Amino acid sequence: MNSIEKIIKCFRKFPSVGPKQAERFAMYVMKSAEEEISELVNSIIEVKSTIKQCSKCYNYTSNEVCDICSDKNRDPKTICIVENPFDIIAIEKTGIYNGLYFILGSYIIPQSSSSIFLNRIDFLKDRIQKEGVEELIIALNTTTEGQASALYIKDSLKNIVPKISRIAFGVPLGADIDYIDEFTLSYALKGRTPIDGK
């Protein structure tokens, strides 16, 4: 395998990148100035060496606690549960949510990643009890995995938090939150409803 084939293979590992797109990325690298590629490589190395997960919510941060968790102007009694950090970015763009977040990192299914999910639910339980959280907003994708995880969260935490709600279904079924525009997300957050009356 020559060097061009190697870099195409590397780009194919990126999410949603097919063969043709990987080839275009490789061609871009070949045509770009050496300084530009050095900047890209150094940026990747810097991110991998300096960015870690927040000790409270698992968001990406360069500090022990992320900017959102350390912001004293945010409502500490409300936590929005999302799958990944990109969902936080999408919700923050709406400008209407002022609480904190918690990132699951995976769903209850498939089983291969359920241990991460269950460990984070245990961590979240401790956080709710220590911080006196009053509301959980479940903002998971409306896929089968997201639905199953939302029901598990509700059943596991309903006795330790006064209110559990879910963002309204203005979010299309089967959609990923980080691909939804801020107007749809804003409507969904404003119209969130309790899960089974809780």
PDB file of all heavy atoms in Angstrom, residues 21-49:
ATOM      1  N   GLN A  21     -15.336  10.531  -1.296  1.00  0.00           N
ATOM      2  CA  GLN A  21     -15.021  11.678  -0.444  1.00  0.00           C
ATOM      3  C   GLN A  21     -13.629  11.522   0.166  1.00  0.00           C
ATOM      4  O   GLN A  21     -12.875  12.488   0.273  1.00  0.00           O
ATOM      5  CB  GLN A  21     -16.078  11.825   0.658  1.00  0.00           C
ATOM      6  CG  GLN A  21     -15.987  13.154   1.389  1.00  0.00           C
ATOM      7  CD  GLN A  21     -17.182  13.399   2.290  1.00  0.00           C
ATOM      8  OE1 GLN A  21     -17.911  12.481   2.624  1.00  0.00           O
ATOM      9  NE2 GLN A  21     -17.376  14.638   2.685  1.00  0.00           N
ATOM     10  N   ALA A  22     -13.280  10.304   0.569  1.00  0.00           N
ATOM     11  CA  ALA A  22     -11.940  10.048   1.113  1.00  0.00           C
ATOM     12  C   ALA A  22     -10.871  10.358   0.068  1.00  0.00           C
ATOM     13  O   ALA A  22      -9.814  10.924   0.386  1.00  0.00           O
ATOM     14  CB  ALA A  22     -11.836   8.596   1.572  1.00  0.00           C
ATOM     15  N   GLU A  23     -11.152  10.020  -1.189  1.00  0.00           N
ATOM     16  CA  GLU A  23     -10.202  10.322  -2.265  1.00  0.00           C
ATOM     17  C   GLU A  23     -10.055  11.831  -2.461  1.00  0.00           C
ATOM     18  O   GLU A  23      -8.946  12.333  -2.689  1.00  0.00           O
ATOM     19  CB  GLU A  23     -10.664   9.669  -3.566  1.00  0.00           C
ATOM     20  CG  GLU A  23     -10.532   8.152  -3.566  1.00  0.00           C
ATOM     21  CD  GLU A  23     -11.168   7.501  -4.787  1.00  0.00           C
ATOM     22  OE1 GLU A  23     -11.593   8.244  -5.709  1.00  0.00           O
ATOM     23  OE2 GLU A  23     -11.255   6.265  -4.798  1.00  0.00           O
ATOM     24  N   ARG A  24     -11.189  12.564  -2.367  1.00  0.00           N
ATOM     25  CA  ARG A  24     -11.126  14.033  -2.504  1.00  0.00           C
ATOM     26  C   ARG A  24     -10.313  14.651  -1.370  1.00  0.00           C
ATOM     27  O   ARG A  24      -9.543  15.594  -1.588  1.00  0.00           O
ATOM     28  CB  ARG A  24     -12.542  14.615  -2.551  1.00  0.00           C
ATOM     29  CG  ARG A  24     -13.245  14.376  -3.875  1.00  0.00           C
ATOM     30  CD  ARG A  24     -14.491  15.245  -4.023  1.00  0.00           C
ATOM     31  NE  ARG A  24     -15.545  14.842  -3.100  1.00  0.00           N
ATOM     32  CZ  ARG A  24     -16.467  13.923  -3.369  1.00  0.00           C
ATOM     33  NH1 ARG A  24     -16.445  13.296  -4.543  1.00  0.00           N
ATOM     34  NH2 ARG A  24     -17.393  13.626  -2.488  1.00  0.00           N
ATOM     35  N   PHE A  25     -10.500  14.141  -0.157  1.00  0.00           N
ATOM     36  CA  PHE A  25      -9.703  14.633   0.977  1.00  0.00           C
ATOM     37  C   PHE A  25      -8.215  14.385   0.724  1.00  0.00           C
ATOM     38  O   PHE A  25      -7.380  15.257   0.986  1.00  0.00           O
ATOM     39  CB  PHE A  25     -10.118  13.928   2.274  1.00  0.00           C
ATOM     40  CG  PHE A  25     -11.458  14.346   2.808  1.00  0.00           C
ATOM     41  CD1 PHE A  25     -12.071  13.599   3.815  1.00  0.00           C
ATOM     42  CD2 PHE A  25     -12.110  15.475   2.355  1.00  0.00           C
ATOM     43  CE1 PHE A  25     -13.302  13.979   4.330  1.00  0.00           C
ATOM     44  CE2 PHE A  25     -13.338  15.865   2.861  1.00  0.00           C
ATOM     45  CZ  PHE A  25     -13.938  15.108   3.852  1.00  0.00           C
ATOM     46  N   ALA A  26      -7.876  13.204   0.211  1.00  0.00           N
ATOM     47  CA  ALA A  26      -6.481  12.868  -0.071  1.00  0.00           C
ATOM     48  C   ALA A  26      -5.901  13.807  -1.135  1.00  0.00           C
ATOM     49  O   ALA A  26      -4.771  14.289  -1.013  1.00  0.00           O
ATOM     50  CB  ALA A  26      -6.368  11.419  -0.523  1.00  0.00           C
ATOM     51  N   MET A  27      -6.688  14.110  -2.163  1.00  0.00           N
ATOM     52  CA  MET A  27      -6.243  15.016  -3.215  1.00  0.00           C
ATOM     53  C   MET A  27      -6.035  16.434  -2.671  1.00  0.00           C
ATOM     54  O   MET A  27      -5.106  17.134  -3.052  1.00  0.00           O
ATOM     55  CB  MET A  27      -7.248  15.041  -4.370  1.00  0.00           C
ATOM     56  CG  MET A  27      -7.263  13.784  -5.225  1.00  0.00           C
ATOM     57  SD  MET A  27      -5.648  13.430  -5.982  1.00  0.00           S
ATOM     58  CE  MET A  27      -5.110  12.027  -4.997  1.00  0.00           C
ATOM     59  N   TYR A  28      -6.925  16.837  -1.744  1.00  0.00           N
ATOM     60  CA  TYR A  28      -6.775  18.155  -1.116  1.00  0.00           C
ATOM     61  C   TYR A  28      -5.451  18.228  -0.361  1.00  0.00           C
ATOM     62  O   TYR A  28      -4.730  19.237  -0.440  1.00  0.00           O
ATOM     63  CB  TYR A  28      -7.946  18.410  -0.168  1.00  0.00           C
ATOM     64  CG  TYR A  28      -7.814  19.705   0.601  1.00  0.00           C
ATOM     65  CD1 TYR A  28      -8.141  20.923   0.013  1.00  0.00           C
ATOM     66  CD2 TYR A  28      -7.331  19.708   1.912  1.00  0.00           C
ATOM     67  CE1 TYR A  28      -7.995  22.116   0.706  1.00  0.00           C
ATOM     68  CE2 TYR A  28      -7.180  20.893   2.614  1.00  0.00           C
ATOM     69  CZ  TYR A  28      -7.516  22.089   2.007  1.00  0.00           C
ATOM     70  OH  TYR A  28      -7.363  23.268   2.709  1.00  0.00           O
ATOM     71  N   VAL A  29      -5.134  17.166   0.370  1.00  0.00           N
ATOM     72  CA  VAL A  29      -3.861  17.122   1.109  1.00  0.00           C
ATOM     73  C   VAL A  29      -2.690  17.232   0.142  1.00  0.00           C
ATOM     74  O   VAL A  29      -1.721  17.965   0.385  1.00  0.00           O
ATOM     75  CB  VAL A  29      -3.766  15.820   1.947  1.00  0.00           C
ATOM     76  CG1 VAL A  29      -2.356  15.630   2.503  1.00  0.00           C
ATOM     77  CG2 VAL A  29      -4.789  15.843   3.078  1.00  0.00           C
ATOM     78  N   MET A  30      -2.767  16.527  -0.989  1.00  0.00           N
ATOM     79  CA  MET A  30      -1.674  16.535  -1.964  1.00  0.00           C
ATOM     80  C   MET A  30      -1.472  17.926  -2.575  1.00  0.00           C
ATOM     81  O   MET A  30      -0.341  18.349  -2.826  1.00  0.00           O
ATOM     82  CB  MET A  30      -1.963  15.528  -3.096  1.00  0.00           C
ATOM     83  CG  MET A  30      -1.994  14.085  -2.635  1.00  0.00           C
ATOM     84  SD  MET A  30      -0.420  13.540  -1.951  1.00  0.00           S
ATOM     85  CE  MET A  30       0.628  13.710  -3.373  1.00  0.00           C
ATOM     86  N   LYS A  31      -2.568  18.659  -2.787  1.00  0.00           N
ATOM     87  CA  LYS A  31      -2.490  19.970  -3.437  1.00  0.00           C
ATOM     88  C   LYS A  31      -2.151  21.102  -2.467  1.00  0.00           C
ATOM     89  O   LYS A  31      -1.692  22.164  -2.889  1.00  0.00           O
ATOM     90  CB  LYS A  31      -3.829  20.302  -4.106  1.00  0.00           C
ATOM     91  CG  LYS A  31      -4.182  19.409  -5.273  1.00  0.00           C
ATOM     92  CD  LYS A  31      -5.559  19.802  -5.819  1.00  0.00           C
ATOM     93  CE  LYS A  31      -6.008  18.872  -6.914  1.00  0.00           C
ATOM     94  NZ  LYS A  31      -7.380  19.199  -7.377  1.00  0.00           N
ATOM     95  N   SER A  32      -2.384  20.902  -1.184  1.00  0.00           N
ATOM     96  CA  SER A  32      -2.232  21.980  -0.204  1.00  0.00           C
ATOM     97  C   SER A  32      -0.776  22.295   0.087  1.00  0.00           C
ATOM     98  O   SER A  32       0.108  21.430  -0.056  1.00  0.00           O
ATOM     99  CB  SER A  32      -2.929  21.595   1.105  1.00  0.00           C
ATOM    100  OG  SER A  32      -4.310  21.428   0.901  1.00  0.00           O
ATOM    101  N   ALA A  33      -0.556  23.529   0.517  1.00  0.00           N
ATOM    102  CA  ALA A  33       0.794  23.945   0.895  1.00  0.00           C
ATOM    103  C   ALA A  33       1.235  23.186   2.146  1.00  0.00           C
ATOM    104  O   ALA A  33       0.407  22.824   2.989  1.00  0.00           O
ATOM    105  CB  ALA A  33       0.817  25.447   1.162  1.00  0.00           C
ATOM    106  N   GLU A  34       2.522  22.975   2.276  1.00  0.00           N
ATOM    107  CA  GLU A  34       3.044  22.211   3.413  1.00  0.00           C
ATOM    108  C   GLU A  34       2.707  22.884   4.737  1.00  0.00           C
ATOM    109  O   GLU A  34       2.416  22.203   5.732  1.00  0.00           O
ATOM    110  CB  GLU A  34       4.564  22.069   3.263  1.00  0.00           C
ATOM    111  CG  GLU A  34       5.165  21.114   4.276  1.00  0.00           C
ATOM    112  CD  GLU A  34       6.640  20.829   3.999  1.00  0.00           C
ATOM    113  OE1 GLU A  34       7.049  20.888   2.823  1.00  0.00           O
ATOM    114  OE2 GLU A  34       7.352  20.545   4.977  1.00  0.00           O
ATOM    115  N   GLU A  35       2.698  24.221   4.749  1.00  0.00           N
ATOM    116  CA  GLU A  35       2.375  24.947   5.990  1.00  0.00           C
ATOM    117  C   GLU A  35       0.937  24.678   6.433  1.00  0.00           C
ATOM    118  O   GLU A  35       0.650  24.530   7.615  1.00  0.00           O
ATOM    119  CB  GLU A  35       2.559  26.460   5.790  1.00  0.00           C
ATOM    120  CG  GLU A  35       3.987  26.897   5.500  1.00  0.00           C
ATOM    121  CD  GLU A  35       4.397  26.678   4.043  1.00  0.00           C
ATOM    122  OE1 GLU A  35       3.508  26.442   3.188  1.00  0.00           O
ATOM    123  OE2 GLU A  35       5.617  26.724   3.762  1.00  0.00           O
ATOM    124  N   GLU A  36       0.025  24.606   5.465  1.00  0.00           N
ATOM    125  CA  GLU A  36      -1.379  24.359   5.776  1.00  0.00           C
ATOM    126  C   GLU A  36      -1.573  22.958   6.366  1.00  0.00           C
ATOM    127  O   GLU A  36      -2.300  22.769   7.343  1.00  0.00           O
ATOM    128  CB  GLU A  36      -2.232  24.512   4.507  1.00  0.00           C
ATOM    129  CG  GLU A  36      -3.714  24.425   4.766  1.00  0.00           C
ATOM    130  CD  GLU A  36      -4.530  24.672   3.502  1.00  0.00           C
ATOM    131  OE1 GLU A  36      -3.949  25.074   2.477  1.00  0.00           O
ATOM    132  OE2 GLU A  36      -5.757  24.461   3.567  1.00  0.00           O
ATOM    133  N   ILE A  37      -0.905  21.985   5.789  1.00  0.00           N
ATOM    134  CA  ILE A  37      -1.022  20.608   6.287  1.00  0.00           C
ATOM    135  C   ILE A  37      -0.357  20.478   7.653  1.00  0.00           C
ATOM    136  O   ILE A  37      -0.861  19.785   8.542  1.00  0.00           O
ATOM    137  CB  ILE A  37      -0.413  19.616   5.277  1.00  0.00           C
ATOM    138  CG1 ILE A  37      -1.165  19.693   3.947  1.00  0.00           C
ATOM    139  CG2 ILE A  37      -0.464  18.194   5.827  1.00  0.00           C
ATOM    140  CD1 ILE A  37      -2.668  19.517   4.045  1.00  0.00           C
ATOM    141  N   SER A  38       0.754  21.182   7.849  1.00  0.00           N
ATOM    142  CA  SER A  38       1.423  21.156   9.162  1.00  0.00           C
ATOM    143  C   SER A  38       0.508  21.735  10.234  1.00  0.00           C
ATOM    144  O   SER A  38       0.430  21.217  11.352  1.00  0.00           O
ATOM    145  CB  SER A  38       2.724  21.954   9.113  1.00  0.00           C
ATOM    146  OG  SER A  38       3.657  21.327   8.276  1.00  0.00           O
ATOM    147  N   GLU A  39      -0.212  22.809   9.869  1.00  0.00           N
ATOM    148  CA  GLU A  39      -1.155  23.416  10.819  1.00  0.00           C
ATOM    149  C   GLU A  39      -2.265  22.431  11.173  1.00  0.00           C
ATOM    150  O   GLU A  39      -2.658  22.312  12.341  1.00  0.00           O
ATOM    151  CB  GLU A  39      -1.751  24.686  10.207  1.00  0.00           C
ATOM    152  CG  GLU A  39      -2.688  25.427  11.151  1.00  0.00           C
ATOM    153  CD  GLU A  39      -3.281  26.678  10.525  1.00  0.00           C
ATOM    154  OE1 GLU A  39      -2.946  26.990   9.367  1.00  0.00           O
ATOM    155  OE2 GLU A  39      -4.081  27.342  11.194  1.00  0.00           O
ATOM    156  N   LEU A  40      -2.763  21.707  10.171  1.00  0.00           N
ATOM    157  CA  LEU A  40      -3.807  20.712  10.404  1.00  0.00           C
ATOM    158  C   LEU A  40      -3.298  19.600  11.321  1.00  0.00           C
ATOM    159  O   LEU A  40      -3.958  19.239  12.305  1.00  0.00           O
ATOM    160  CB  LEU A  40      -4.272  20.122   9.068  1.00  0.00           C
ATOM    161  CG  LEU A  40      -5.235  18.937   9.145  1.00  0.00           C
ATOM    162  CD1 LEU A  40      -6.536  19.338   9.823  1.00  0.00           C
ATOM    163  CD2 LEU A  40      -5.491  18.361   7.749  1.00  0.00           C
ATOM    164  N   VAL A  41      -2.128  19.071  11.017  1.00  0.00           N
ATOM    165  CA  VAL A  41      -1.553  17.986  11.816  1.00  0.00           C
ATOM    166  C   VAL A  41      -1.303  18.443  13.253  1.00  0.00           C
ATOM    167  O   VAL A  41      -1.635  17.743  14.215  1.00  0.00           O
ATOM    168  CB  VAL A  41      -0.246  17.471  11.174  1.00  0.00           C
ATOM    169  CG1 VAL A  41       0.480  16.508  12.113  1.00  0.00           C
ATOM    170  CG2 VAL A  41      -0.546  16.796   9.841  1.00  0.00           C
ATOM    171  N   ASN A  42      -0.744  19.639  13.412  1.00  0.00           N
ATOM    172  CA  ASN A  42      -0.469  20.157  14.754  1.00  0.00           C
ATOM    173  C   ASN A  42      -1.760  20.400  15.544  1.00  0.00           C
ATOM    174  O   ASN A  42      -1.802  20.175  16.758  1.00  0.00           O
ATOM    175  CB  ASN A  42       0.345  21.449  14.664  1.00  0.00           C
ATOM    176  CG  ASN A  42       1.764  21.213  14.180  1.00  0.00           C
ATOM    177  OD1 ASN A  42       2.304  20.122  14.335  1.00  0.00           O
ATOM    178  ND2 ASN A  42       2.366  22.222  13.564  1.00  0.00           N
ATOM    179  N   SER A  43      -2.803  20.838  14.849  1.00  0.00           N
ATOM    180  CA  SER A  43      -4.097  21.059  15.511  1.00  0.00           C
ATOM    181  C   SER A  43      -4.673  19.743  16.023  1.00  0.00           C
ATOM    182  O   SER A  43      -5.212  19.672  17.133  1.00  0.00           O
ATOM    183  CB  SER A  43      -5.093  21.718  14.552  1.00  0.00           C
ATOM    184  OG  SER A  43      -4.658  22.993  14.174  1.00  0.00           O
ATOM    185  N   ILE A  44      -4.553  18.697  15.220  1.00  0.00           N
ATOM    186  CA  ILE A  44      -5.044  17.378  15.628  1.00  0.00           C
ATOM    187  C   ILE A  44      -4.262  16.868  16.845  1.00  0.00           C
ATOM    188  O   ILE A  44      -4.851  16.386  17.820  1.00  0.00           O
ATOM    189  CB  ILE A  44      -4.946  16.371  14.457  1.00  0.00           C
ATOM    190  CG1 ILE A  44      -5.921  16.764  13.348  1.00  0.00           C
ATOM    191  CG2 ILE A  44      -5.219  14.952  14.942  1.00  0.00           C
ATOM    192  CD1 ILE A  44      -5.758  15.979  12.065  1.00  0.00           C
ATOM    193  N   ILE A  45      -2.946  17.026  16.803  1.00  0.00           N
ATOM    194  CA  ILE A  45      -2.116  16.583  17.927  1.00  0.00           C
ATOM    195  C   ILE A  45      -2.440  17.373  19.185  1.00  0.00           C
ATOM    196  O   ILE A  45      -2.555  16.813  20.282  1.00  0.00           O
ATOM    197  CB  ILE A  45      -0.620  16.714  17.571  1.00  0.00           C
ATOM    198  CG1 ILE A  45      -0.246  15.719  16.468  1.00  0.00           C
ATOM    199  CG2 ILE A  45       0.260  16.493  18.808  1.00  0.00           C
ATOM    200  CD1 ILE A  45       1.124  15.921  15.879  1.00  0.00           C
ATOM    201  N   GLU A  46      -2.648  18.674  19.029  1.00  0.00           N
ATOM    202  CA  GLU A  46      -2.967  19.520  20.183  1.00  0.00           C
ATOM    203  C   GLU A  46      -4.306  19.134  20.813  1.00  0.00           C
ATOM    204  O   GLU A  46      -4.440  19.050  22.029  1.00  0.00           O
ATOM    205  CB  GLU A  46      -3.007  20.994  19.750  1.00  0.00           C
ATOM    206  CG  GLU A  46      -3.267  21.955  20.911  1.00  0.00           C
ATOM    207  CD  GLU A  46      -3.285  23.409  20.469  1.00  0.00           C
ATOM    208  OE1 GLU A  46      -2.918  23.691  19.315  1.00  0.00           O
ATOM    209  OE2 GLU A  46      -3.688  24.263  21.283  1.00  0.00           O
ATOM    210  N   VAL A  47      -5.297  18.894  19.972  1.00  0.00           N
ATOM    211  CA  VAL A  47      -6.616  18.491  20.484  1.00  0.00           C
ATOM    212  C   VAL A  47      -6.505  17.180  21.258  1.00  0.00           C
ATOM    213  O   VAL A  47      -7.041  17.043  22.363  1.00  0.00           O
ATOM    214  CB  VAL A  47      -7.628  18.347  19.319  1.00  0.00           C
ATOM    215  CG1 VAL A  47      -8.852  17.558  19.749  1.00  0.00           C
ATOM    216  CG2 VAL A  47      -8.053  19.719  18.824  1.00  0.00           C
ATOM    217  N   LYS A  48      -5.806  16.213  20.694  1.00  0.00           N
ATOM    218  CA  LYS A  48      -5.687  14.907  21.349  1.00  0.00           C
ATOM    219  C   LYS A  48      -4.905  14.979  22.655  1.00  0.00           C
ATOM    220  O   LYS A  48      -5.133  14.201  23.575  1.00  0.00           O
ATOM    221  CB  LYS A  48      -5.022  13.892  20.407  1.00  0.00           C
ATOM    222  CG  LYS A  48      -5.899  13.453  19.267  1.00  0.00           C
ATOM    223  CD  LYS A  48      -7.177  12.768  19.746  1.00  0.00           C
ATOM    224  CE  LYS A  48      -6.918  11.438  20.429  1.00  0.00           C
ATOM    225  NZ  LYS A  48      -8.160  10.778  20.894  1.00  0.00           N
ATOM    226  N   SER A  49      -3.978  15.922  22.756  1.00  0.00           N
ATOM    227  CA  SER A  49      -3.139  15.993  23.955  1.00  0.00           C
ATOM    228  C   SER A  49      -3.691  16.923  25.032  1.00  0.00           C
ATOM    229  O   SER A  49      -3.318  16.806  26.205  1.00  0.00           O
ATOM    230  CB  SER A  49      -1.717  16.440  23.575  1.00  0.00           C
ATOM    231  OG  SER A  49      -1.745  17.736  23.006  1.00  0.00           O
TER     232      SER A  49
END
